[in-house]
Amino acid sequence: MRGSLAGRITLVCLAVAGVAVIVAGLVASRLIRTTADNVLQSSLAAQADVVASQLDETGIGNRLGVGKVADVVRGQGISVVVRRAGGQALGDAAAVQAAGKLGLTADRSGRVTVAGSQYLVETRVVGTRGAAFALVLPARNVEATQRALVRNILLALGIGLLVAAVAGFVSGRLLGRPLRRAALAAGSLRAGRRDVRVPVQGPREVAEVAGSLNSLADALAVSEARQREFLLSVSHELRTPLTAVTGFAEAIADGVASGPDAVRAGETIQREAARLSRLVEDLLELARLGADEFRLDMAPLDVAALVRDCAEVWQLRCAREEVSLSVSVPSSPVFVLADARRLRQVIDGLAENALRVTPAGAPMVFSLSASDAVVSLAVRDGGPGLAAEDYPVAFERGVLNARYRDRRPVGSGIGLALVHALVTRMGGTVTAGPAPEGGAAFTLTFPAGRHGR
């Protein structure tokens, strides 16, 4: 099971603090040992200097005087070794051995080992006759001090670990709160709500998550609104031919239409059925384009010859609508890598859209141009064109249909979306913009190809 963010942050803080405690403990133990030795040695040296300043050769020779001094330092666990002028050293046996190892002939400081035990020793010479004394401190007293210091440091480090755990838990809760809000908002979006928004606050990364979630909610709302508009436009396009087919079929079935009327009714049914078939086919093509199994027969294609063939067909249709078709195509072959059938489908779709809105007497243009790098094919018309803000969204499904169906003849709302998808899958681009003829221009651009490739 996955742990919570607060738990993980707490564990991370504990781990970091634990590593810091271990490192600090290792370093501190070494420093404590060295520092404690130095501090106690310095303290012992200071006491030896004080004792030496209070004694002279007479004092060293006076048991009472030495005894008073010894009582003072012995209370601190320090042994006193005394050597009178010309005599032997007196004191505890171990202390005498430790002092003897260091030597009572000069002022000295050091650590010596006697019978496996270590001692800190300070020796001082008093007077000019060779009298001397030594202060001897067992190292176990130093170790006891060190252990006390280590215990205090470990206590402080333990408190630090506890503080780290509390800080990690609190930080995790604070960081997790906006993320939990984001998760709840995502659940609401999954349930169908689109008015959910998350406050953009907290650390930058958390704020970015909230902002991205809000942007996703906005995008979903816009996308679903467009889908509704698209469904409405498709429903509108389906309703008209279905009404005609249903009405004329009922007339034939009831015997109302007979003779020539029945023939006209049959022709109408056939025409509207073909219109329904084209609409369904466009929907299926658009759905297949979004699937990975959609196949294209890509091959080198002379697009100049293809445009001329298209123009022969559209010359007749334009003539029936009293629209003049102009064709500007290079005389030499122009090759691109494309699917011939799909590119013809794209040109026919753009030409049909252009002819639908081009009034009688206005021009329609097929224009092909080529350079070393790209080949551009434009289908332009002299119709009413589009508003400037409509060109960027011209290839989105149903957008133009929803905006213009009450003002001019429109198609199914998916023709331009299908054009964009087909051209993109063939490696080209398609753009929309105003045409010099006064209407709209749709321009296909493909990388230039060579014959045989």
Side-chain angles (χ1 to χ4, degrees):
M1 295 180 64
R2 297 184 178 181
S4 66
L5 179 63
R8 292 191 176 190
I9 292 178
T10 303
L11 290 178
V12 170
C13 289
L14 281 175
V16 172
V19 172
V21 164
I22 293 173
V23 174
L26 293 175
V27 174
S29 63
R30 180 68 179 177
L31 291 176
I32 288 171
R33 184 176 295 108
T34 304
T35 304
D37 285 350
N38 293 336
V39 168
L40 288 176
Q41 190 76 57
S42 299
S43 175
L44 193 62
Q47 294 185 68
D49 291 337
V50 171
V51 172
S53 67
Q54 300 297 320
L55 298 176
D56 56 16
E57 292 182 8
T58 303
I60 288 291
N62 186 336
R63 287 180 175 273
L64 184 60
V66 174
K68 290 180 178 180
V69 174
D71 289 341
V72 173
V73 295
R74 192 175 289 118
Q76 304 174 41
I78 301 172
S79 299
V80 179
V81 177
V82 176
R83 190 190 69 182
R84 297 182 178 88
Q88 293 183 347
L90 302 175
D92 296 337
V96 170
Q97 291 183 33
K101 276 197 171 186
L102 191 63
L104 289 169
T105 59
D107 294 350
R108 291 175 179 161
S109 301
R111 176 189 284 260
V112 298
T113 302
V114 176
S117 300
Q118 291 189 339
Y119 298 88
L120 300 180
V121 182
E122 289 286 337
T123 64
R124 297 292 185 270
V125 176
V126 179
T128 58
R129 301 181 190 178
F133 73 91
L135 299 184
V136 181
L137 177 64
R140 61 178 178 271
N141 295 356
V142 178
E143 294 172 356
T145 303
Q146 292 175 353
R147 285 193 294 270
L149 290 173
V150 169
R151 281 196 302 269
N152 292 336
I153 290 177
L154 289 177
L155 177 61
L157 293 177
I159 294 173
L161 278 175
L162 180 61
V163 171
V166 174
F169 181 76
V170 172
S171 299
R173 296 288 294 180
L174 292 177
L175 289 175
R177 187 177 302 163
L179 293 179
R180 285 193 296 272
R181 284 199 297 263
L184 290 174
S188 298
L189 289 175
R190 182 178 58 188
R193 290 186 58 187
R194 297 295 178 259
D195 58 341
V196 179
R197 296 296 180 272
V198 182
V200 181
Q201 59 188 24
R204 182 179 62 186
E205 292 80 2
V206 177
E208 288 177 354
V209 171
S212 299
L213 192 61
N214 292 339
S215 299
L216 175 61
D218 293 335
L220 285 174
V222 172
S223 175
E224 291 179 355
R226 289 177 177 173
Q227 288 180 4
R228 285 192 295 270
E229 292 177 359
F230 172 69
L231 290 175
L232 288 174
S233 64
V234 170
S235 300
H236 177 80
E237 291 297 320
L238 289 172
R239 186 180 298 114
T240 301
L242 283 174
T243 301
V245 168
T246 302
F248 282 103
E250 290 177 350
I252 294 175
D254 294 341
V256 175
S258 60
D261 292 335
V263 173
R264 286 194 296 272
E267 292 174 348
T268 302
I269 291 174
Q270 184 180 18
R271 183 173 60 252
E272 295 302 322
R275 181 179 172 186
L276 283 172
S277 178
R278 287 196 303 271
L279 179 58
V280 172
E281 185 64 25
D282 285 348
L283 288 170
L284 290 176
E285 290 285 357
L286 197 59
R288 292 192 191 105
L289 279 169
D292 293 336
E293 65 268 15
F294 185 83
R295 304 290 297 178
L296 291 171
D297 297 325
M298 302 292 288
L301 170 66
D302 182 4
V303 68
L306 180 66
V307 172
R308 282 192 287 266
D309 291 342
C310 288
E312 290 182 3
V313 174
W314 284 97
Q315 286 282 8
L316 297 176
R317 295 189 59 178
C318 288
R320 287 199 298 267
E321 303 293 334
E322 299 181 359
V323 172
S324 61
L325 176 62
S326 300
V327 182
S328 175
V329 179
S331 57
S332 58
V334 177
F335 286 96
V336 298
L337 188 63
D339 184 319
R341 183 172 68 89
R342 295 299 184 182
L343 186 56
R344 175 64 183 264
Q345 180 182 353
V346 166
I347 297 173
D348 287 341
L350 293 176
E352 185 174 355
N353 285 347
L355 184 60
R356 185 185 299 116
V357 297
T358 303
M364 190 169 81
V365 178
F366 289 172
S367 175
L368 179 66
S369 62
S371 66
D372 293 337
V374 297
V375 174
S376 296
L377 169 62
V379 177
R380 308 194 300 265
D381 63 72
L386 303 174
E389 63 271 14
D390 291 334
Y391 289 114
V393 296
F395 301 102
E396 296 183 11
R397 291 181 300 178
V399 174
L400 297 185
N401 183 287
R403 295 185 182 181
Y404 291 99
R405 64 188 174 202
D406 296 330
R407 290 181 279 173
R408 67 178 71 164
V410 294
S412 63
I414 60 176
L416 289 178
L418 183 59
V419 165
H420 181 271
L422 286 171
V423 173
T424 302
R425 289 295 292 265
M426 287 188 290
T429 59
V430 56
T431 57
E437 292 76 15
F442 294 88
T443 304
L444 314 178
T445 304
F446 291 93
R450 290 183 296 176
H451 181 57
R453 291 192 63 185

